[in-house]
């Protein structure tokens, strides 16, 4: 398996960075795109890196936030064949809400209707091709995390976000489970546990994605590192919403198993 970061906060040289994430994955001859960043920058970076977006067979949206979804229209312009998988709970209704300040952070309005013929809504544990699965959260009480992060869903009334629109992309490999979860809102340790529960008897080998730690205290980051250590996972590639400070703390706590993502990074797994 080879994974190439097409968009992340960090970028060097001629590649373009942004607050967002997009990862291109090649696995057993299949070509998969996870997320589309916040703009068309992933397309421009793909051209620089000689990645052909037209050849992607499966598109995946990790969750319904703009920094992962707002490049969708550019993906559909370039690629005319791939199915694009969203979790069934996805809508255009995610907000950041603090007291009297409200900011929309969801999928660009009108996107789901405009591209409804290209979108497939995943339910439960779903295999999209041999050895490649999408799994939802199985942990109760995630609305408490949404409330702590000031994240809300607006339907007829406001609800603290329980991340029912979020999913993990999991590869069942010979080394173990390789898990992509772009923001790990429930906690990277929770993401690992959920994947191992979904694949009874399998152990997590690697986790790739943001860990949503940019607003967390040093003590909270170190506590998470301790919980991750107990899982025994061997490789952690993290960036985007983890934040550089938290990445450095994770490196201190977990050593060489932690690697920081950046635009253009290639991972051989």
């Amino acid at each position: 398996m080879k994974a190439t970061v097409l968009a992340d906060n960090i970028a060097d040289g001629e590649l373009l960075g942004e607050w967002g994430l997009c990862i291109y994955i090649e696995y057993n001859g299949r070509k998969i795109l996870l997320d589309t960043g916040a703009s068309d920058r992933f397309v421009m970076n793909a051209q620089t890196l000689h990645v052909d977006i037209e050849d992607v067979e499966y598109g995946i949206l990790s969750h319904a936030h703009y920094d992962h979804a707002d490049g969708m229209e550019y993906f559909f312009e370039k690629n005319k064949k791939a199915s694009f998988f969203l979790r069934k709970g996805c809508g255009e209704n995610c907000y950041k809400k603090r007291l009297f300040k409200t900011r929309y952070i969801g999928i660009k309005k009108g996107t789901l209707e405009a591209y409804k013929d290209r979108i497939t809504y995943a339910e439960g544990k779903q295999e999209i091709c041999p050895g490649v699965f999408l799994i939802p959260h199985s942990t109760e009480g995630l609305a408490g995390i949404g409330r702590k992060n000031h994240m809300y869903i607006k339907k007829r009334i406001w609800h603290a976000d329980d991340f029912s629109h979020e999913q993990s992309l999991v590869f069942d490999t010979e080394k173990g489970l390789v898990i992509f979860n772009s923001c790990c809102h429930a906690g990277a340790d929770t993401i690992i546990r959920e994947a191992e529960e979904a694949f009874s008897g399998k152990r997590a080998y690697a986790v790739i994605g943001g860990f949503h730690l940019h607003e967390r205290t040093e003590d909270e980051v170190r506590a998470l590192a301790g919980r991750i250590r107990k899982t025994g996972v061997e490789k952690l590639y993290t960036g985007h919403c983890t934040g550089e400070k938290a990445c450095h703390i994770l490196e201190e706590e977990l050593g060489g198993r932690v690697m920081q993502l950046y635009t253009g990074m290639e991972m051989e797994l």
Side-chain angles (χ1 to χ4, degrees), residues 237-257:
Y237 297 87
T238 189
H240 177 44
C241 57
T242 301
E244 289 189 63
K245 180 180 177 180
C247 278
H248 294 320
I249 295 170
L250 292 174
E251 289 168 356
E252 289 175 12
E253 292 285 336
L254 298 170
R257 77 181 79 182

Side-chain angles (χ1 to χ4, degrees), residues 24-251:
Y24 172 72
I25 305 159
E26 297 170 282
Y27 177 73
N28 287 346
R30 300 294 191 180
K31 297 176 180 180
I32 299 166
L33 191 75
L34 175 65
D35 293 340
T36 61
S39 70
D40 62 348
R41 290 190 175 191
F42 81 96
V43 174
M44 292 184 276
N45 289 333
Q47 291 172 345
T48 302
L49 294 166
H50 307 292
V51 171
D52 195 341
I53 296 299
E54 294 179 12
D55 290 342
V56 170
E57 299 167 87
Y58 304 97
I60 313 294
L61 183 67
S62 63
H63 63 290
H65 287 169
Y66 76 96
D67 46 336
H68 302 265
D70 274 7
M72 284 173 64
E73 62 182 289
Y74 306 106
F75 174 77
F76 291 126
E77 285 176 6
K78 285 285 185 181
N79 182 294
K80 304 300 182 184
K81 65 179 183 180
S83 296
F84 204 93
F85 289 85
L86 281 63
R87 183 57 35 188
K88 188 179 179 183
C90 273
E92 296 169 353
N93 54 7
C94 293
Y95 290 81
K96 196 88 173 223
K97 190 171 183 291
R98 291 174 183 259
L99 298 176
F100 303 108
K101 293 184 179 180
T102 301
R103 178 168 63 93
Y104 184 66
I105 60 170
I107 299 170
K108 189 179 296 182
K109 298 283 189 178
T111 299
L112 300 185
E113 176 62 26
Y115 300 105
K116 63 183 179 182
D117 294 337
R118 299 288 303 278
I119 292 171
T120 300
Y121 289 94
E123 297 186 62
K125 176 182 175 182
Q126 184 165 335
E127 187 172 23
I128 62 172
C129 62
V132 184
F133 297 82
L134 299 173
I135 64 169
H137 284 300
S138 57
T139 303
E140 299 292 331
L142 295 184
I145 295 174
R147 191 175 295 108
K148 181 177 180 178
N149 287 284
H150 308 285
M151 292 179 177
Y152 287 83
I153 299 294
K154 186 177 182 181
K155 295 182 180 177
R156 282 181 291 181
I157 60 174
W158 291 100
H159 299 274
D161 197 340
D162 64 357
F163 306 105
S164 57
H165 55 90
E166 187 170 55
Q167 57 189 349
S168 294
L169 171 63
V170 182
F171 295 80
D172 188 4
T173 78
E174 292 181 1
K175 289 186 176 181
L177 302 175
V178 176
I179 307 162
F180 290 79
N181 187 297
S182 295
C183 279
C184 294
H185 289 104
D189 57 320
T190 299
I191 299 301
I192 292 167
R193 176 181 52 76
E194 289 179 342
E196 290 182 342
E197 288 176 353
F199 296 83
S200 181
K202 299 278 187 176
R203 299 292 296 173
Y205 170 67
V207 179
I208 301 97
F211 291 176
H212 206 76
L213 298 172
H214 66 288
E215 296 178 325
R216 301 279 72 86
T217 67
E218 179 177 336
D219 287 346
E220 288 174 314
V221 177
R222 293 193 189 278
L224 174 64
R227 297 194 300 273
I228 292 173
R229 186 183 297 110
K230 290 178 181 178
T231 70
V233 68
E234 295 183 39
K235 292 184 179 294
L236 298 157
Y237 297 87
T238 189
H240 177 44
C241 57
T242 301
E244 289 189 63
K245 180 180 177 180
C247 278
H248 294 320
I249 295 170
L250 292 174
E251 289 168 356

